[in-house]
């Protein structure tokens, strides 16, 4: 379980992503994905074994992977990266070379920290764009998830429109590298290390 990317936020400190171990991380992930605040993750009724099985499938997939996100060394978010030409969006949108799909989930609980979720999303986006082949990030959150739509807009996403997926009605949105860089304030104390593994 090695760190593949790190970024220091000027206000909140270090964020990092490490490889996910579906078995060792199953109990933690289960507590996150079954929490009421994670309703849009669509795993509310999953038991720990099903969560482990789902992430074993993702980690083994050639076009989908998952990482555990850390803040100051403690696990606090989940990030998934996928190739939308092969997973999630096949035949549902106009795929461009260099597109990369993304999901993220912040752990529930604790005292809210102002700007935390945006810092997580900024970290995930910086990680994805650390790969020079990534030209555009594509997301497909539930149309009802207004909180994530606002966060996406804050880091540069542009809404393409609604699409019908088997499990939900989604709001397809895209963000180019230039849109992300224009939207995100890049203070001098921000640094990035590494690239997606």
């Amino acid at each position: 379980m090695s760190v593949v990317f790190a970024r220091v936020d000027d206000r909140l400190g270090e964020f990092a992503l490490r490889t996910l171990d579906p078995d060792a991380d199953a109990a933690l992930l289960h507590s996150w994905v079954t929490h009421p605040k994670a309703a849009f993750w669509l795993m509310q009724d999953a038991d720990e074994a099903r969560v482990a099985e789902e992430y074993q499938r993702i980690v083994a997939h050639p076009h989908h992977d998952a990482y555990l996100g850390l803040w100051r060394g403690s696990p606090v978010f989940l990030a998934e990266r996928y190739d939308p030409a092969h997973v999630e969006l096949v035949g549902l949108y106009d795929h461009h070379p260099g597109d990369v799909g993304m999901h993220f989930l912040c752990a529930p609980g604790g005292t809210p920290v102002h700007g935390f979720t945006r810092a997580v999303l900024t970290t995930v986006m910086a990680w994805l764009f650390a790969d020079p082949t990534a030209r555009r990030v594509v997301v497909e959150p539930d149309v009802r998830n207004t909180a994530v739509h606002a966060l996406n807009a804050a880091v540069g996403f542009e809404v393409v429109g609604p699409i019908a997926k088997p499990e939900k009605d989604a709001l397809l949105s895209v963000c180019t590298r230039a849109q992300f860089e224009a939207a995100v304030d890049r203070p001098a104390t921000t640094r990035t290390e590494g690239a997606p593994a």
Side-chain angles (χ1 to χ4, degrees):
M1 295 185 291
S2 58
V3 170
V4 297
F5 181 83
R7 170 185 168 269
V8 175
D9 183 90
D10 65 327
R11 197 172 62 82
L12 297 178
E14 184 170 85
F15 290 83
L17 289 106
R18 71 154 170 85
T19 52
L20 185 133
D21 182 326
D23 296 317
D25 295 327
L28 178 65
L29 293 178
H30 177 261
S31 71
W32 294 358
V33 302
T34 59
H35 191 278
K37 289 185 178 179
F40 292 116
W41 209 253
L42 304 176
M43 295 190 80
Q44 294 289 286
D45 298 325
D47 61 15
E48 189 176 316
R50 183 178 153 218
V51 171
E53 181 180 295
E54 174 67 9
Y55 282 95
Q56 286 162 355
R57 184 189 63 75
I58 289 172
V59 168
H61 198 286
H63 302 291
H64 196 171
D65 49 24
Y67 295 83
L68 201 65
L70 311 174
W71 178 44
R72 300 174 181 168
S74 297
V76 293
F77 67 98
L78 175 65
E80 294 180 19
R81 174 183 60 184
Y82 64 89
D83 182 343
H86 298 278
V87 179
E88 295 279 359
L89 292 169
V90 180
L92 296 178
Y93 87 114
D94 182 18
H95 179 267
H96 293 191
D99 279 359
V100 59
M102 177 269 290
H103 300 138
F104 84 100
L105 175 70
C106 287
T111 304
V113 176
H114 179 72
F116 178 79
T117 307
R118 183 172 175 170
V120 165
L121 181 54
T122 300
T123 299
V124 172
M125 294 291 287
W127 163 64
L128 294 171
F129 282 128
D131 180 347
T133 67
R135 298 176 66 188
R136 191 171 74 155
V137 177
V138 181
V139 294
E140 25 71 40
D142 193 293
V143 292
R144 300 166 297 167
N145 194 346
T146 54
V148 87
H149 301 323
L151 277 166
N152 286 345
V155 299
F157 277 93
E158 177 182 344
V159 172
V160 175
I163 57 170
K165 295 187 69 194
E167 76 282 11
K168 66 184 178 184
D169 290 326
L171 190 65
L172 181 70
S173 300
V174 298
C175 182
T176 65
R177 184 185 303 272
Q179 287 170 315
F180 172 63
E181 290 173 354
V184 177
D185 180 26
R186 295 220 175 254
T189 55
T190 296
R191 66 172 168 79
T192 58
E193 296 173 357

